[in-house]
Amino acid sequence: MSHTSIDDGIFRYRLVNDDPEKPTAILAGVVSKGITSATIPERVTDMSDLTIRRYYVKVIGPEAFSGLFLAERADYKSACFD
């Protein structure tokens, strides 16, 4: 059974099993508040179980960057803001 959230050391993602063919991850927050730049990946991998699952990052949650000083730009691929 997959976790409902994972992090990659920079971002925290909420995992959504809405489509078995293309499961979705929502960028839910920032793990490291001291980051100065980061690129939001197109996909993230959950390796918490014996099964490796890949999730497409399609949504940036409304509180994803709360409490951060945002740089002049953000780089992301194929995600939309919620």
Side-chain angles (χ1 to χ4, degrees):
M1 171 182 247
S2 295
H3 288 121
T4 57
S5 67
I6 59 172
D7 74 70
D8 62 7
I10 298 171
F11 298 115
R12 184 178 65 256
Y13 305 92
R14 190 169 44 133
L15 307 178
V16 182
N17 290 314
D18 55 350
D19 180 350
E21 297 297 316
K22 287 189 173 183
T24 301
I26 298 170
L27 194 151
V30 177
V31 175
S32 174
K33 298 290 186 186
I35 65 168
T36 56
S37 68
T39 300
I40 299 167
E42 183 179 352
R43 295 189 287 180
V44 294
T45 304
D46 178 10
M47 297 185 296
S48 59
D49 297 328
L50 297 176
T51 304
I52 296 172
R53 295 206 48 176
R54 300 198 68 180
Y55 292 81
Y56 291 85
V57 180
K58 292 292 185 184
V59 177
I60 299 170
E63 301 294 320
F65 298 105
S66 67
L68 274 183
F69 173 76
L70 294 178
E72 292 180 13
R73 73 173 227 222
D75 296 326
Y76 59 92
K77 299 178 185 212
S78 69
C80 64
F81 290 91
D82 185 13

